[in-house]
Amino acid sequence: MTNRITSLLTGTPFVLILALLMIVGRIIFAAPPTTHPEANCFIVHYNSGNNPINLIFDPSKTDWDNYQARELSYLLDYLDARFIFFCILQHHAHFYSLSSLILLTASAVLIHRKLKKLYPDADKSITAALPLMYVSLYLGADGFFRSSKPAVSFLLLWLFFNVAEMLKQPEKYHSIRSQFPNLLLLFLLPGFDRIGFFIAAAASAAAALLPGLFSCNCPLASREKMDSSKKPLLIFSFIALSAVLFSLLYNFIIAPAIIEALHSYRPSFEYQNFQASVSNILCDGLIFTLKNYGSLFIPANYSGTIAAGIICSLFLFYAGAILRRDSRDLRLITPVWLGIFVSSVICTGLMIARHPAIQELPSGSYFQVFGTAFFGIFAIIFLESSHISIRRTFVIMMITVFATSFCRLAMPQPATELLLHKQTAGHTIELLNDPQMPSKEYLPASSGMLIRFVRQYQ
């Protein structure tokens, strides 16, 4: 009877219920989310009444003419904006991103199912707590802005655990057919964000390098398993490279042709070009990455987030090195974590070189993607470790993450007001059709203020 209760309380349905309760509790009890300074314009654009295809393939509006070939994210943005306007029309105004909430809930289910499959003998309370820890990280990242980063985070989680499964049981992944889920994920990632393109490129390079790197001086006891891992890694590298090449084809030929056919203009590629020294890229990328990792443990953007990022990163390297020493089967743990860390540094450095304002958002939307990368290796090393002191440290880190997440929710939120032009407001014109209103009005950025604003002009 006790085992049945334990199994019920740690099963995927119960984890899903807890994740939903956390999200619903955040909606009911925490301050309503606000929009990003650009987001209201997106809400207006996606509700302007035009054909959805025309709205999605219009980077002059969806990305301020900063073309990035991420139309899959615009599709989710369109659905989010329609949902927000529908709720406004029902006098239940808010700025919640429906896609972000759904993806966050789906992430909890995905993590729990993958961990149960990878570690069937692990402590069930830990495999149940880890997905809830992930949900807690992003409870405050539910306001409407862009769906690109939440979507990339969900796909990255899925890809990460697929690769972990492939490394643990390489004999099951010796064909392209067996790796079709990875093929699909790698082709979708660049369509949601340029970070997805970078992930696919980094995955292709890493999967090609690892077999050769660890074939040299490989102990006889582990050579057989290493040899069996080569083919899956090379197949993975090939499909990741295919995703990169298709993304380039879409970026430079397919999408521009669609945009020109719909709107009679060619998108500008200026935003995809940048100049920066290697030292600046590495320095800025390292600081930003460490701030993002440190933000998991400190609720605000203090200088201490860098110190926290350094400490937790070094601890994961230490724990990975201990695992590598104790088990030849886990010799890839440290290089995988090193690859994640270095890739994060290079990726953020390149983004900052293109758009320096990103440095002001260490806990913004970019936080989710790099927090996800950190979480994946955190979960694997935690569950692989058998050292009591290391496991206790991980538990302390988990408790700190939970506490930090809820502290962040309790902190004051910005209450900016954003200027909108009535003539371009789509359904807002119908809702606020009052000839006495001036041509410009402030649309409040918080849900409660928006409800009062709408009712004032009914």
Side-chain angles (χ1 to χ4, degrees), residues 311-331:
I311 292 170
C312 64
S313 299
L314 290 177
F315 174 74
L316 286 186
F317 278 117
Y318 168 75
I322 296 296
L323 285 176
R324 186 168 183 265
R325 184 192 66 186
D326 292 347
S327 174
R328 291 293 181 182
D329 290 342
L330 301 175
R331 59 188 293 112

Side-chain angles (χ1 to χ4, degrees), residues 16 51 55 193 230 240 245 255 279 281 285 341 389 409 426 449:
L16 172 60
N51 185 296
L55 296 172
D193 197 78
K230 286 182 180 179
L245 294 176
S279 60
I281 289 173
F341 187 86
S389 58
L409 285 175
M449 294 171 67

Side-chain angles (χ1 to χ4, degrees), residues 410-424:
M411 295 177 66
Q413 300 294 316
T416 57
E417 291 187 345
L418 309 172
L419 188 64
L420 281 181
H421 294 266
K422 180 184 176 185
Q423 292 92 333
T424 62

